[in-house]
Amino acid sequence: MSDHSSTASVVGRPEPLRAEGHATPSPQSNWPAVASVALMSFVLVLSEFLPIGLLPVMGSSLHVSVGTVGLVVVVPGLTAAVTAPLLTIATSDYGPRTGDFRIRRSRSA
């Protein structure tokens, strides 16, 4: 068993600790994940901003005011504003690489 904490790379940074039996991921294996996050970010932002330019057309075709049709933009925005922090808190103990989920326990007990 080797001691990874005492080794240092050429530029002076300590090498990351790896669990035994786990291969170090190659830098190229991360690009599909980066591409999927970029694509989903684009789609989500597009779906929020695209209706803004169409509000007058949507209002006239539905025979309602632009303010009423504006709820098409407001409701998803408020939903995202409420659920994003809640999901962040709920999944804060989720292991990003291992996939394990630990239930948060009180530190006082």
Side-chain angles (χ1 to χ4, degrees):
M1 185 154 118
S2 64
D3 182 18
H4 291 288
S5 62
S6 63
T7 60
S9 64
V10 176
V11 292
R13 294 186 199 145
E15 292 184 22
L17 297 176
R18 301 278 178 213
E20 293 194 25
H22 293 284
T24 303
S26 68
Q28 285 121 0
S29 68
N30 295 332
W31 285 110
V34 171
S36 67
V37 169
L39 178 65
M40 289 311 299
S41 297
F42 174 77
V43 168
L44 288 173
V45 170
L46 180 68
S47 68
E48 286 184 20
F49 287 119
L50 186 63
I52 293 172
L54 300 174
L55 290 179
V57 176
M58 290 169 61
S60 66
S61 67
L62 295 172
H63 305 293
V64 294
S65 70
V66 175
T68 304
V69 179
L71 293 174
V72 170
V73 178
V74 172
V75 171
L78 288 176
T79 303
V82 170
T83 57
L86 294 176
L87 283 173
T88 303
I89 292 168
T91 59
S92 63
D93 288 338
Y94 185 72
R97 293 189 182 240
T98 60
D100 60 346
F101 184 75
R102 296 174 300 279
I103 296 173
R104 186 179 295 161
R105 292 187 175 87
S106 161
R107 295 187 187 260
S108 62

